[in-house]
């Protein structure tokens, strides 16, 4: 009889709840594909209101996952958002963790 | 907002940012169409404007029509490298091809010396198709084929049809088709994405 190795179901998976939230996960996913994006880009892609997006952005900024640069472009406020090294690491770890869980 | 998260789709949307507004189509169409119109009216001295005007259309279109609707992004290093590689390769390839032409232009019998405009169409078509490959935009392959085909067919027919220059007709038609496509895509884009209000 062949001794088949049973899959190890005792996986310690630490979910970063900050990243795990769908809206914030999408924000990090978009930012991982660009060097930076402005507020309007994220609003148009995510279909959120400015207030809703601001709340999520604030949380990510507090955690040090994103960096915000504010400036003015032709008298209009311009907010540029980019992923920090910490944010890239958090996003990569989250992806790896989920993939490991599903294998 | 859908809760579905598809990373491939997100990557596709980032690439789409560069071509979904139709401005690249308008720039390419304006360049080809303008080339034909300028030659038709013996304004070949103004052909240099063709590098400048499409860029203006693209730049001001982005500033006043696109950015207020879908914002702006700085491309990732990977895409920047692809663009850099594209420009360098196209410049080198173009220089190589035209060097070959100039070396053969007095031979009289070679394909290159007899069909320089077809050669030009090939280089231009290849450039447009390569842009499509970088931006993952398949319709640019059709544009590249259309431009090359129009210039090649037009030049071949130039020997047999003399009432009107078929080369210019073909070039103007190809440019016109791409311009129309650009306008249609831009109209759909403006309808799909309203201006984002910053007061919320």
């Amino acid at each position: 009889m062949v001794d088949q190795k049973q899959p190890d179901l005792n996986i310690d998976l630490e979910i970063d709840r900050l990243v795990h939230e769908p809206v914030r996960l999408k924000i990090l996913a978009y930012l991982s594909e660009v060097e930076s994006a402005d507020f309007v880009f994220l609003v148009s892609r995510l279909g959120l209101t400015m207030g809703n997006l601001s709340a999520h952005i604030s949380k990510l900024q507090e955690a040090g996952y994103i960096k915000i640069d504010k400036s003015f472009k032709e008298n209009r406020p311009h907010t540029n958002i980019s992923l920090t090294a910490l944010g890239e690491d958090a996003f990569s770890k989250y992806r790896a963790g989920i993939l490991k869980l599903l294998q | 907002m859908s809760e579905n998260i598809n990373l491939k789709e997100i990557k596709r949307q980032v690439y789409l940012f560069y071509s979904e507004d139709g401005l690249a189509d308008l720039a390419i169409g304006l360049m080809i169409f303008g080339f034909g119109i300028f030659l038709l009216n013996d304004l070949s001295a103004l052909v240099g404007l063709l590098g400048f005007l499409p860029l203006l259309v693209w730049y001001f279109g982005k500033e006043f029509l696109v950015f207020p609707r879908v914002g702006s992004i700085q491309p990732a290093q990977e895409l920047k490298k692809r663009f850099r590689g594209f420009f360098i390769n196209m410049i080198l390839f173009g220089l190589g091809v035209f060097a070959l032409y100039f070396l053969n232009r007095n031979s009289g019998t070679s394909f290159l010396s007899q069909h320089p405009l077809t050669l030009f169409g090939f280089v231009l078509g290849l450039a447009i198709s390569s842009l499509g490959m970088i931006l993952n935009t398949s319709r640019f392959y059709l544009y590249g084929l259309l431009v090359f085909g129009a210039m090649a067919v037009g030049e071949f027919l130039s020997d047999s049809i003399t009432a009107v220059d078929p080369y210019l007709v073909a070039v103007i038609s190809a440019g016109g088709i791409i311009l129309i496509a650009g306008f249609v895509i831009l109209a759909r884009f403006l309808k799909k994405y309203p201006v984002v209000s910053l007061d919320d």
Side-chain angles (χ1 to χ4, degrees):
Chain A
M1 187 172 143
V2 176
D3 182 22
Q4 290 183 328
K5 196 175 175 186
Q6 296 297 315
D8 181 7
L9 298 175
N10 294 322
I11 300 167
D12 283 326
L13 180 65
E14 281 183 39
I15 294 281
D16 184 337
R17 289 191 170 273
L18 199 62
V19 178
H20 187 61
E21 205 285 331
V23 171
R24 289 194 287 269
L25 181 58
K26 272 193 173 180
I27 291 171
L28 293 175
Y30 274 108
L31 292 178
S32 70
E33 292 295 333
V34 297
E35 198 171 278
S36 68
D38 72 357
F39 216 74
V40 176
F41 176 79
L42 291 174
V43 163
S44 72
R45 294 298 156 175
L46 297 171
L48 299 172
T49 62
M50 294 289 243
N52 200 342
L53 180 62
S54 286
H56 289 290
I57 292 289
S58 293
K59 286 186 177 157
L60 289 171
Q61 189 186 20
E62 276 164 24
Y65 288 175
I66 61 171
K67 189 177 70 170
I68 296 178
D69 291 314
K70 291 190 178 183
S71 60
F72 278 88
K73 234 177 168 184
E74 290 156 12
N75 295 327
R76 291 182 87 204
H78 183 73
T79 305
N80 231 26
I81 303 158
S82 54
L83 217 53
T84 60
L86 189 65
E88 271 184 55
D89 189 52
F91 183 63
S92 301
K93 278 186 177 159
Y94 178 84
R95 281 184 74 175
I98 292 293
L99 283 170
K100 190 178 174 186
L101 177 69
L102 295 173
Q103 277 167 359
Chain B
M1 184 199 68
S2 162
E3 295 291 349
N4 293 334
I5 294 170
N6 184 331
L7 294 181
K8 269 190 184 168
E9 174 61 20
I10 284 172
K11 187 166 189 155
R12 192 188 75 86
Q13 283 196 15
V14 168
Y15 274 79
L16 212 57
F17 176 82
Y18 296 99
S19 61
E20 67 175 337
D21 49 36
L23 289 177
D25 309 60
L26 286 177
I28 292 167
L30 192 61
M31 192 172 63
I32 308 297
F33 185 78
F35 177 63
I37 293 290
F38 284 164
L39 288 182
L40 184 68
N41 293 288
D42 281 330
L43 295 171
S44 48
L46 295 178
V47 165
L49 278 178
L50 293 172
F52 184 61
L53 280 175
L55 279 177
L56 277 183
V57 165
W58 190 85
Y59 175 78
F60 284 110
K62 283 287 186 190
E63 278 293 318
F64 294 106
L65 294 177
V66 175
F67 292 164
R69 286 173 163 79
V70 295
S72 61
I73 58 175
Q74 287 296 316
Q77 285 302 319
E78 181 204 328
L79 189 56
K80 280 184 184 173
K81 271 185 196 168
R82 288 174 93 183
F83 272 122
R84 253 197 310 269
F86 164 72
F87 283 117
I88 291 170
N89 286 335
M90 284 318 304
I91 287 169
L92 288 175
F93 181 70
L95 285 174
V97 164
F98 287 111
L100 212 61
Y101 165 72
F102 282 114
L103 288 171
N104 283 283
R105 74 183 189 282
N106 293 321
S107 71
T109 52
S110 77
F111 179 85
L112 288 178
S113 62
Q114 289 176 348
H115 304 287
L117 297 174
T118 301
L119 184 64
F120 176 63
F122 174 71
V123 173
L124 200 55
L126 190 66
I128 295 168
S129 298
S130 301
L131 197 59
M133 194 171 72
I134 290 170
L135 298 178
N136 288 342
T137 308
S138 51
R139 67 179 182 273
F140 282 20
Y141 298 134
L142 289 176
Y143 293 167
L145 205 59
L146 179 66
V147 166
F148 169 59
M151 291 191 175
V153 168
E155 188 175 37
F156 276 104
L157 290 176
S158 287
D159 294 332
S160 47
I161 299 171
T162 53
V164 62
D165 190 339
Y167 179 78
L168 292 181
V169 170
V171 168
I172 289 169
S173 302
I177 289 169
I178 298 172
L179 263 181
I180 290 169
F183 277 120
V184 168
I185 294 166
L186 179 62
R188 276 164 46 184
F189 172 83
L190 295 177
K191 193 178 172 187
K192 184 178 175 186
Y193 295 106
V195 173
V196 171
S197 168
L198 293 174
D199 310 313
D200 198 336

Short mmCIF file of all heavy atoms in Angstrom, two decimals, chain A residues 3-56:
data_model
loop_
_atom_site.label_atom_id
_atom_site.label_comp_id
_atom_site.label_asym_id
_atom_site.label_seq_id
_atom_site.Cartn_x
_atom_site.Cartn_y
_atom_site.Cartn_z
N ASP A 3 2.13 4.79 0.82
CA ASP A 3 1.95 5.73 1.92
C ASP A 3 1.85 7.14 1.34
O ASP A 3 2.84 7.74 0.95
CB ASP A 3 3.14 5.61 2.87
CG ASP A 3 2.98 6.53 4.07
OD1 ASP A 3 1.84 6.91 4.37
OD2 ASP A 3 4.00 6.87 4.68
N GLN A 4 0.61 7.63 1.23
CA GLN A 4 0.44 8.96 0.64
C GLN A 4 0.57 10.02 1.72
O GLN A 4 -0.07 9.95 2.75
CB GLN A 4 -0.94 9.07 -0.02
CG GLN A 4 -1.04 8.23 -1.28
CD GLN A 4 -2.37 8.40 -1.96
OE1 GLN A 4 -3.37 8.62 -1.31
NE2 GLN A 4 -2.39 8.24 -3.28
N LYS A 5 1.39 11.02 1.41
CA LYS A 5 1.63 12.09 2.39
C LYS A 5 0.39 12.97 2.46
O LYS A 5 -0.12 13.45 1.44
CB LYS A 5 2.83 12.90 1.93
CG LYS A 5 3.41 13.77 3.00
CD LYS A 5 4.69 14.44 2.50
CE LYS A 5 5.17 15.40 3.56
NZ LYS A 5 6.30 16.17 3.10
N GLN A 6 -0.13 13.14 3.67
CA GLN A 6 -1.30 13.99 3.85
C GLN A 6 -0.88 15.45 3.84
O GLN A 6 0.18 15.81 4.33
CB GLN A 6 -1.99 13.67 5.18
CG GLN A 6 -2.56 12.25 5.25
CD GLN A 6 -3.65 12.03 4.20
OE1 GLN A 6 -4.52 12.87 4.02
NE2 GLN A 6 -3.58 10.93 3.50
N PRO A 7 -1.71 16.31 3.25
CA PRO A 7 -1.38 17.75 3.26
C PRO A 7 -1.40 18.30 4.68
O PRO A 7 -2.20 17.88 5.51
CB PRO A 7 -2.48 18.38 2.42
CG PRO A 7 -3.60 17.41 2.42
CD PRO A 7 -3.00 16.06 2.60
N ASP A 8 -0.48 19.20 4.94
CA ASP A 8 -0.39 19.81 6.27
C ASP A 8 -1.42 20.93 6.35
O ASP A 8 -1.28 21.97 5.72
CB ASP A 8 1.03 20.35 6.47
CG ASP A 8 1.19 20.97 7.83
OD1 ASP A 8 0.27 20.85 8.66
OD2 ASP A 8 2.25 21.59 8.07
N LEU A 9 -2.49 20.70 7.14
CA LEU A 9 -3.53 21.72 7.22
C LEU A 9 -3.28 22.69 8.38
O LEU A 9 -4.01 23.64 8.56
CB LEU A 9 -4.90 21.06 7.39
CG LEU A 9 -5.33 20.17 6.22
CD1 LEU A 9 -6.63 19.46 6.52
CD2 LEU A 9 -5.49 21.01 4.96
N ASN A 10 -2.21 22.41 9.14
CA ASN A 10 -1.93 23.28 10.27
C ASN A 10 -1.03 24.42 9.81
O ASN A 10 0.15 24.48 10.10
CB ASN A 10 -1.24 22.48 11.39
CG ASN A 10 -2.17 21.44 11.95
OD1 ASN A 10 -3.35 21.68 12.11
ND2 ASN A 10 -1.63 20.28 12.26
N ILE A 11 -1.62 25.32 9.03
CA ILE A 11 -0.83 26.43 8.50
C ILE A 11 -1.08 27.66 9.36
O ILE A 11 -2.23 28.02 9.61
CB ILE A 11 -1.23 26.76 7.05
CG1 ILE A 11 -1.00 25.54 6.18
CG2 ILE A 11 -0.47 27.94 6.52
CD1 ILE A 11 -1.64 25.65 4.83
N ASP A 12 -0.02 28.24 9.87
CA ASP A 12 -0.17 29.50 10.59
C ASP A 12 -0.18 30.62 9.59
O ASP A 12 0.85 30.97 9.03
CB ASP A 12 1.01 29.69 11.56
CG ASP A 12 0.82 28.83 12.79
OD1 ASP A 12 -0.34 28.66 13.19
OD2 ASP A 12 1.83 28.33 13.31
N LEU A 13 -1.34 31.15 9.31
CA LEU A 13 -1.44 32.22 8.32
C LEU A 13 -1.80 33.52 9.01
O LEU A 13 -2.85 33.66 9.59
CB LEU A 13 -2.52 31.86 7.28
CG LEU A 13 -2.72 32.89 6.18
CD1 LEU A 13 -1.48 33.00 5.33
CD2 LEU A 13 -3.90 32.50 5.31
N GLU A 14 -0.87 34.43 8.95
CA GLU A 14 -1.13 35.74 9.53
C GLU A 14 -1.66 36.65 8.44
O GLU A 14 -0.97 36.94 7.48
CB GLU A 14 0.16 36.32 10.09
CG GLU A 14 0.54 35.74 11.44
CD GLU A 14 1.78 36.41 11.99
OE1 GLU A 14 1.91 37.63 11.83
OE2 GLU A 14 2.62 35.70 12.55
N ILE A 15 -2.90 37.03 8.61
CA ILE A 15 -3.51 37.92 7.62
C ILE A 15 -3.32 39.35 8.11
O ILE A 15 -3.71 39.69 9.22
CB ILE A 15 -5.03 37.62 7.47
CG1 ILE A 15 -5.24 36.24 6.87
CG2 ILE A 15 -5.70 38.68 6.62
CD1 ILE A 15 -5.04 36.16 5.37
N ASP A 16 -2.75 40.15 7.24
CA ASP A 16 -2.65 41.59 7.54
C ASP A 16 -4.03 42.19 7.27
O ASP A 16 -4.41 42.36 6.11
CB ASP A 16 -1.57 42.23 6.65
CG ASP A 16 -1.34 43.69 6.98
OD1 ASP A 16 -2.25 44.33 7.55
OD2 ASP A 16 -0.26 44.19 6.64
N ARG A 17 -4.75 42.48 8.31
CA ARG A 17 -6.14 42.94 8.14
C ARG A 17 -6.22 44.27 7.42
O ARG A 17 -7.24 44.59 6.81
CB ARG A 17 -6.84 43.01 9.48
CG ARG A 17 -7.12 41.63 10.04
CD ARG A 17 -8.05 41.67 11.24
NE ARG A 17 -8.45 40.32 11.57
CZ ARG A 17 -9.50 39.70 11.02
NH1 ARG A 17 -10.24 40.32 10.14
NH2 ARG A 17 -9.79 38.47 11.36
N LEU A 18 -5.15 45.02 7.53
CA LEU A 18 -5.14 46.32 6.85
C LEU A 18 -5.14 46.09 5.32
O LEU A 18 -5.82 46.77 4.58
CB LEU A 18 -3.88 47.10 7.24
CG LEU A 18 -3.91 48.59 7.01
CD1 LEU A 18 -5.01 49.25 7.83
CD2 LEU A 18 -2.58 49.21 7.38
N VAL A 19 -4.38 45.11 4.88
CA VAL A 19 -4.30 44.80 3.45
C VAL A 19 -5.51 43.98 3.00
O VAL A 19 -5.97 44.08 1.88
CB VAL A 19 -2.99 44.02 3.14
CG1 VAL A 19 -2.91 43.64 1.67
CG2 VAL A 19 -1.78 44.81 3.56
N HIS A 20 -6.03 43.17 3.91
CA HIS A 20 -7.06 42.20 3.58
C HIS A 20 -8.38 42.85 3.16
O HIS A 20 -9.15 42.27 2.37
CB HIS A 20 -7.29 41.28 4.79
CG HIS A 20 -8.21 40.14 4.52
ND1 HIS A 20 -7.95 39.17 3.57
CD2 HIS A 20 -9.39 39.80 5.09
CE1 HIS A 20 -8.94 38.29 3.56
NE2 HIS A 20 -9.83 38.64 4.48
N GLU A 21 -8.64 44.04 3.66
CA GLU A 21 -9.89 44.74 3.32
C GLU A 21 -9.93 44.99 1.81
O GLU A 21 -8.97 45.50 1.24
CB GLU A 21 -9.95 46.07 4.08
CG GLU A 21 -11.35 46.60 4.33
CD GLU A 21 -11.99 47.19 3.08
OE1 GLU A 21 -11.26 47.69 2.20
OE2 GLU A 21 -13.23 47.17 2.98
N PRO A 22 -11.04 44.59 1.12
CA PRO A 22 -11.05 44.61 -0.35
C PRO A 22 -10.68 45.94 -0.99
O PRO A 22 -9.93 45.96 -1.97
CB PRO A 22 -12.50 44.23 -0.69
CG PRO A 22 -12.94 43.39 0.46
CD PRO A 22 -12.28 43.97 1.66
N VAL A 23 -11.18 47.04 -0.45
CA VAL A 23 -10.87 48.34 -1.08
C VAL A 23 -9.39 48.65 -0.94
O VAL A 23 -8.73 49.05 -1.92
CB VAL A 23 -11.71 49.47 -0.44
CG1 VAL A 23 -11.24 50.83 -0.93
CG2 VAL A 23 -13.18 49.28 -0.75
N ARG A 24 -8.86 48.42 0.24
CA ARG A 24 -7.43 48.73 0.45
C ARG A 24 -6.56 47.77 -0.34
O ARG A 24 -5.50 48.15 -0.86
CB ARG A 24 -7.08 48.69 1.94
CG ARG A 24 -7.69 49.85 2.71
CD ARG A 24 -7.07 49.99 4.08
NE ARG A 24 -7.51 48.94 4.99
CZ ARG A 24 -8.56 49.05 5.78
NH1 ARG A 24 -9.31 50.12 5.75
NH2 ARG A 24 -8.88 48.06 6.59
N LEU A 25 -7.00 46.54 -0.47
CA LEU A 25 -6.26 45.57 -1.28
C LEU A 25 -6.20 46.04 -2.73
O LEU A 25 -5.15 45.97 -3.39
CB LEU A 25 -6.94 44.20 -1.19
CG LEU A 25 -6.27 43.05 -1.96
CD1 LEU A 25 -4.83 42.85 -1.52
CD2 LEU A 25 -7.06 41.76 -1.78
N LYS A 26 -7.32 46.56 -3.22
CA LYS A 26 -7.35 47.07 -4.61
C LYS A 26 -6.45 48.29 -4.74
O LYS A 26 -5.75 48.45 -5.74
CB LYS A 26 -8.78 47.45 -4.99
CG LYS A 26 -9.58 46.30 -5.57
CD LYS A 26 -10.85 46.82 -6.22
CE LYS A 26 -11.57 45.72 -6.94
NZ LYS A 26 -12.81 46.16 -7.58
N ILE A 27 -6.47 49.16 -3.74
CA ILE A 27 -5.62 50.36 -3.79
C ILE A 27 -4.16 49.92 -3.90
O ILE A 27 -3.41 50.41 -4.75
CB ILE A 27 -5.81 51.23 -2.52
CG1 ILE A 27 -7.19 51.87 -2.52
CG2 ILE A 27 -4.73 52.32 -2.43
CD1 ILE A 27 -7.56 52.56 -1.21
N LEU A 28 -3.76 48.99 -3.06
CA LEU A 28 -2.37 48.51 -3.08
C LEU A 28 -2.06 47.80 -4.39
O LEU A 28 -0.95 47.92 -4.92
CB LEU A 28 -2.11 47.57 -1.89
CG LEU A 28 -2.16 48.23 -0.51
CD1 LEU A 28 -2.01 47.19 0.59
CD2 LEU A 28 -1.07 49.29 -0.36
N ALA A 29 -3.04 47.07 -4.92
CA ALA A 29 -2.82 46.37 -6.19
C ALA A 29 -2.56 47.35 -7.32
O ALA A 29 -1.66 47.18 -8.13
CB ALA A 29 -4.03 45.49 -6.51
N TYR A 30 -3.37 48.42 -7.39
CA TYR A 30 -3.16 49.43 -8.44
C TYR A 30 -1.81 50.12 -8.25
O TYR A 30 -1.06 50.31 -9.20
CB TYR A 30 -4.28 50.48 -8.41
CG TYR A 30 -5.49 50.09 -9.22
CD1 TYR A 30 -6.69 49.73 -8.59
CD2 TYR A 30 -5.45 50.07 -10.61
CE1 TYR A 30 -7.80 49.36 -9.34
CE2 TYR A 30 -6.56 49.70 -11.36
CZ TYR A 30 -7.72 49.35 -10.71
OH TYR A 30 -8.83 48.98 -11.45
N LEU A 31 -1.49 50.47 -7.01
CA LEU A 31 -0.25 51.20 -6.76
C LEU A 31 0.98 50.32 -7.02
O LEU A 31 2.05 50.83 -7.34
CB LEU A 31 -0.21 51.73 -5.32
CG LEU A 31 -1.21 52.83 -5.00
CD1 LEU A 31 -1.12 53.23 -3.52
CD2 LEU A 31 -0.98 54.06 -5.88
N SER A 32 0.80 48.99 -6.91
CA SER A 32 1.93 48.09 -7.17
C SER A 32 2.28 48.04 -8.66
O SER A 32 3.35 47.61 -9.05
CB SER A 32 1.63 46.68 -6.65
OG SER A 32 0.64 46.08 -7.45
N GLU A 33 1.32 48.48 -9.50
CA GLU A 33 1.55 48.42 -10.95
C GLU A 33 2.06 49.74 -11.53
O GLU A 33 2.36 49.82 -12.72
CB GLU A 33 0.23 48.05 -11.67
CG GLU A 33 -0.24 46.63 -11.41
CD GLU A 33 0.71 45.59 -11.95
OE1 GLU A 33 1.44 45.87 -12.93
OE2 GLU A 33 0.74 44.46 -11.41
N VAL A 34 2.13 50.77 -10.69
CA VAL A 34 2.60 52.07 -11.18
C VAL A 34 3.63 52.64 -10.20
O VAL A 34 3.75 52.15 -9.08
CB VAL A 34 1.43 53.08 -11.31
CG1 VAL A 34 0.41 52.60 -12.34
CG2 VAL A 34 0.76 53.33 -9.98
N GLU A 35 4.32 53.69 -10.65
CA GLU A 35 5.27 54.35 -9.75
C GLU A 35 4.48 55.23 -8.78
O GLU A 35 4.79 55.30 -7.60
CB GLU A 35 6.25 55.18 -10.56
CG GLU A 35 7.50 55.53 -9.78
CD GLU A 35 8.53 56.18 -10.67
OE1 GLU A 35 9.25 55.44 -11.37
OE2 GLU A 35 8.59 57.42 -10.68
N SER A 36 3.47 55.90 -9.32
CA SER A 36 2.56 56.68 -8.47
C SER A 36 1.27 56.92 -9.24
O SER A 36 1.25 56.83 -10.47
CB SER A 36 3.19 58.01 -8.05
OG SER A 36 3.32 58.85 -9.17
N ALA A 37 0.23 57.23 -8.51
CA ALA A 37 -1.06 57.54 -9.13
C ALA A 37 -1.71 58.67 -8.35
O ALA A 37 -1.45 58.81 -7.15
CB ALA A 37 -1.96 56.31 -9.10
N ASP A 38 -2.51 59.46 -9.03
CA ASP A 38 -3.14 60.53 -8.26
C ASP A 38 -4.51 60.08 -7.75
O ASP A 38 -5.00 59.00 -8.08
CB ASP A 38 -3.20 61.84 -9.07
CG ASP A 38 -4.22 61.78 -10.19
OD1 ASP A 38 -4.86 60.74 -10.41
OD2 ASP A 38 -4.37 62.80 -10.90
N PHE A 39 -5.09 60.91 -6.94
CA PHE A 39 -6.34 60.61 -6.24
C PHE A 39 -7.45 60.31 -7.25
O PHE A 39 -8.22 59.37 -7.08
CB PHE A 39 -6.72 61.83 -5.39
CG PHE A 39 -7.35 61.45 -4.09
CD1 PHE A 39 -6.59 60.94 -3.06
CD2 PHE A 39 -8.71 61.64 -3.89
CE1 PHE A 39 -7.16 60.59 -1.86
CE2 PHE A 39 -9.29 61.30 -2.68
CZ PHE A 39 -8.53 60.77 -1.66
N VAL A 40 -7.49 61.14 -8.29
CA VAL A 40 -8.58 61.02 -9.27
C VAL A 40 -8.51 59.66 -9.97
O VAL A 40 -9.53 59.03 -10.25
CB VAL A 40 -8.50 62.16 -10.30
CG1 VAL A 40 -9.55 62.00 -11.39
CG2 VAL A 40 -8.69 63.50 -9.61
N PHE A 41 -7.30 59.17 -10.23
CA PHE A 41 -7.14 57.86 -10.87
C PHE A 41 -7.77 56.78 -10.00
O PHE A 41 -8.53 55.94 -10.49
CB PHE A 41 -5.65 57.57 -11.09
CG PHE A 41 -5.38 56.19 -11.66
CD1 PHE A 41 -5.55 55.95 -13.01
CD2 PHE A 41 -4.98 55.15 -10.84
CE1 PHE A 41 -5.30 54.68 -13.55
CE2 PHE A 41 -4.73 53.88 -11.36
CZ PHE A 41 -4.90 53.65 -12.71
N LEU A 42 -7.47 56.81 -8.70
CA LEU A 42 -8.00 55.78 -7.81
C LEU A 42 -9.53 55.92 -7.66
O LEU A 42 -10.24 54.91 -7.61
CB LEU A 42 -7.32 55.87 -6.44
CG LEU A 42 -5.84 55.47 -6.43
CD1 LEU A 42 -5.21 55.73 -5.07
CD2 LEU A 42 -5.66 54.01 -6.82
N VAL A 43 -10.01 57.13 -7.62
CA VAL A 43 -11.47 57.34 -7.53
C VAL A 43 -12.16 56.76 -8.75
O VAL A 43 -13.17 56.06 -8.65
CB VAL A 43 -11.80 58.85 -7.39
CG1 VAL A 43 -13.27 59.12 -7.70
CG2 VAL A 43 -11.47 59.34 -5.99
N SER A 44 -11.58 57.03 -9.94
CA SER A 44 -12.24 56.57 -11.18
C SER A 44 -12.16 55.06 -11.32
O SER A 44 -13.09 54.43 -11.81
CB SER A 44 -11.61 57.25 -12.40
OG SER A 44 -10.32 56.74 -12.66
N ARG A 45 -11.07 54.45 -10.88
CA ARG A 45 -10.92 52.99 -11.05
C ARG A 45 -11.70 52.22 -10.00
O ARG A 45 -12.19 51.12 -10.26
CB ARG A 45 -9.45 52.59 -10.96
CG ARG A 45 -8.61 53.14 -12.10
CD ARG A 45 -9.04 52.66 -13.45
NE ARG A 45 -8.65 53.57 -14.49
CZ ARG A 45 -8.81 53.35 -15.80
NH1 ARG A 45 -9.37 52.23 -16.20
NH2 ARG A 45 -8.42 54.25 -16.66
N LEU A 46 -11.77 52.78 -8.77
CA LEU A 46 -12.41 52.04 -7.68
C LEU A 46 -13.89 52.36 -7.55
O LEU A 46 -14.62 51.63 -6.87
CB LEU A 46 -11.69 52.35 -6.36
CG LEU A 46 -10.23 51.91 -6.30
CD1 LEU A 46 -9.55 52.46 -5.06
CD2 LEU A 46 -10.14 50.40 -6.32
N GLY A 47 -14.33 53.45 -8.18
CA GLY A 47 -15.74 53.81 -8.11
C GLY A 47 -16.18 54.25 -6.73
O GLY A 47 -17.32 54.02 -6.33
N LEU A 48 -15.27 54.86 -5.99
CA LEU A 48 -15.59 55.31 -4.64
C LEU A 48 -15.83 56.81 -4.63
O LEU A 48 -15.47 57.52 -5.57
CB LEU A 48 -14.41 55.01 -3.69
CG LEU A 48 -14.01 53.55 -3.51
CD1 LEU A 48 -12.72 53.47 -2.72
CD2 LEU A 48 -15.11 52.78 -2.83
N THR A 49 -16.39 57.28 -3.52
CA THR A 49 -16.47 58.73 -3.32
C THR A 49 -15.12 59.19 -2.79
O THR A 49 -14.33 58.38 -2.28
CB THR A 49 -17.56 59.08 -2.30
OG1 THR A 49 -17.20 58.48 -1.04
CG2 THR A 49 -18.93 58.58 -2.73
N MET A 50 -14.88 60.49 -2.89
CA MET A 50 -13.61 61.05 -2.40
C MET A 50 -13.44 60.77 -0.90
O MET A 50 -12.35 60.41 -0.45
CB MET A 50 -13.57 62.56 -2.65
CG MET A 50 -13.55 62.94 -4.11
SD MET A 50 -11.98 62.53 -4.89
CE MET A 50 -11.41 64.12 -5.35
N GLY A 51 -14.54 60.96 -0.16
CA GLY A 51 -14.49 60.79 1.30
C GLY A 51 -14.15 59.36 1.68
O GLY A 51 -13.32 59.10 2.56
N ASN A 52 -14.80 58.41 0.99
CA ASN A 52 -14.58 56.99 1.25
C ASN A 52 -13.12 56.61 0.96
O ASN A 52 -12.45 55.95 1.76
CB ASN A 52 -15.52 56.17 0.37
CG ASN A 52 -15.71 54.77 0.89
OD1 ASN A 52 -14.92 54.28 1.69
ND2 ASN A 52 -16.75 54.12 0.41
N LEU A 53 -12.64 57.07 -0.19
CA LEU A 53 -11.26 56.76 -0.56
C LEU A 53 -10.28 57.40 0.42
O LEU A 53 -9.31 56.78 0.83
CB LEU A 53 -10.98 57.25 -1.98
CG LEU A 53 -9.57 56.98 -2.50
CD1 LEU A 53 -9.27 55.49 -2.57
CD2 LEU A 53 -9.38 57.60 -3.90
N SER A 54 -10.57 58.63 0.82
CA SER A 54 -9.69 59.34 1.77
C SER A 54 -9.52 58.55 3.06
O SER A 54 -8.43 58.47 3.62
CB SER A 54 -10.27 60.71 2.12
OG SER A 54 -10.10 61.59 1.05
N ALA A 55 -10.62 57.96 3.53
CA ALA A 55 -10.57 57.20 4.78
C ALA A 55 -9.63 56.01 4.65
O ALA A 55 -8.79 55.76 5.53
CB ALA A 55 -11.98 56.73 5.15
N HIS A 56 -9.74 55.30 3.56
CA HIS A 56 -8.86 54.13 3.34
C HIS A 56 -7.41 54.56 3.15
O HIS A 56 -6.48 53.93 3.67
CB HIS A 56 -9.34 53.33 2.13
CG HIS A 56 -10.61 52.59 2.36
ND1 HIS A 56 -10.69 51.49 3.20
CD2 HIS A 56 -11.85 52.78 1.87
CE1 HIS A 56 -11.94 51.05 3.22
NE2 HIS A 56 -12.67 51.83 2.43
#
